[in-house]
């Protein structure tokens, strides 16, 4: 089989990007169940065959959109924590807050996707995927905070992660960016008030 040229890879990447953007619009407007593949490909200026070639179907397209969204969240949070560390921040709670702040900024920028994935319908099995992702998020936060892994520590990290997740929901449904920022700051205040490192 002939190797793809850089132009072909670029075209493939652009086709995928166009389909994901069209899917974002269509799923956002209609939800998963009511969204049609034909509307997605029409908006992407592509074909049904191309969609099935790149994604395999409507469910896989939805999941690819979710994975891209989560990857953007994780990259922004990781970059923010790394930047805080470079600036000399060593307090694990402040590092968690740096990551949370970037996460909540992303929740405002991609509020349509946050609303879709938190409150919208999804394909069969999506709830399990989302719960598994949330457990991994708790595990990452536990590592960042240096959790000892005892029951109180585990519960505390779960609560802190839930605060960030619920703040994301509130940010995504805020009427203005100013309101969204106020919600984010309230979440940071609450995390500091809980002072998780003093609980273990």
């Amino acid at each position: 089989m002939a190797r793809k040229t850089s132009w072909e890879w670029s075209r493939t990447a652009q086709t995928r990007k166009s389909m994901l953007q069209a899917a974002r619009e269509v799923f956002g407007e209609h939800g998963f169940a009511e969204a049609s593949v034909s509307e997605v490909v029409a908006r992407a200026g592509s074909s049904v065959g191309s969609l099935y070639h790149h994604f395999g179907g409507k469910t896989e397209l939805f999941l690819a959109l979710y994975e891209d969204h989560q990857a953007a969240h994780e990259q922004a949070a990781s970059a923010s924590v790394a930047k805080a560390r470079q600036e000399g921040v060593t307090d694990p709670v402040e590092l968690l807050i740096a990551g949370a702040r970037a996460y909540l900024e992303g929740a405002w920028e991609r509020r349509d996707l946050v609303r879709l994935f938190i409150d919208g319908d999804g394909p069969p099995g999506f709830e399990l995927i989302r719960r598994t992702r949330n457990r991994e998020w708790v595990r990452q936060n536990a590592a960042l905070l240096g959790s000892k892994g005892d029951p109180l520590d585990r519960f505390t990290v779960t609560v802190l992660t839930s605060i960030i997740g619920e703040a994301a929901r509130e940010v995504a449904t805020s009427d203005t960016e100013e309101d969204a920022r106020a919600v984010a700051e309230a979440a940071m205040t609450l995390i500091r008030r809980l002072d998780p490192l003093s609980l273990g």
Side-chain angles (χ1 to χ4, degrees):
M1 193 165 105
R3 293 176 64 183
K4 286 192 174 186
T5 65
S6 60
W7 178 81
E8 288 173 313
W9 280 119
S10 174
R11 189 178 61 169
T12 297
Q14 185 54 49
T15 299
R16 186 178 188 280
K17 185 177 175 184
S18 297
M19 283 191 187
L20 285 171
Q21 180 56 42
R24 178 176 179 169
E25 295 168 8
V26 174
F27 287 134
E29 290 168 18
H30 304 293
F32 174 77
E34 297 299 318
S36 74
V37 164
S38 58
E39 186 171 357
V40 171
V41 296
R43 289 198 195 189
S46 191
S47 68
V48 172
S50 184
L51 183 144
Y52 280 96
H53 171 74
H54 286 281
F55 296 99
K58 186 167 85 163
T59 293
E60 293 83 358
L61 180 62
F62 184 93
L63 295 178
L65 190 62
Y66 175 70
E67 288 301 326
D68 274 15
H69 171 64
Q70 291 300 321
H73 267 326
E74 289 171 10
Q75 287 163 11
S78 294
S80 186
V81 169
K83 182 172 181 284
R85 280 188 169 129
Q86 285 174 349
E87 292 170 352
V89 177
T90 57
D91 180 350
V93 176
E94 291 304 317
L95 291 173
L96 176 71
I97 285 171
R101 196 180 300 282
Y103 184 92
L104 294 176
E105 286 171 5
W108 173 253
E109 290 164 9
R110 296 183 303 281
R111 53 196 177 276
D112 58 324
L113 291 175
V114 174
R115 291 192 299 265
L116 172 65
F117 296 131
I118 289 179
D119 294 323
D121 63 328
F126 178 60
E127 271 307 305
L128 177 60
I129 290 168
R130 204 173 66 171
R131 284 197 305 270
T132 301
R133 174 75 72 157
N134 283 342
R135 281 196 298 273
E136 175 59 20
W137 187 19
V138 170
R139 191 195 64 72
Q140 290 169 356
N141 286 343
L144 182 62
L145 289 167
S147 168
K148 294 186 290 293
D150 61 58
L152 180 57
D153 265 14
R154 284 198 307 271
F155 178 67
T156 302
V157 175
T158 300
V159 168
L160 293 173
T161 305
S162 297
I163 288 170
I164 300 165
E166 287 304 311
R169 182 196 299 264
E170 291 300 315
V171 162
T173 55
S174 293
D175 291 329
T176 66
E177 187 172 0
E178 184 181 1
D179 289 346
R181 288 186 188 281
V183 169
E185 289 309 314
M188 306 308 143
T189 299
L190 188 52
I191 289 169
R192 285 191 181 102
R193 244 180 232 167
L194 284 173
D195 193 7
L197 297 182
S198 72
L199 297 176

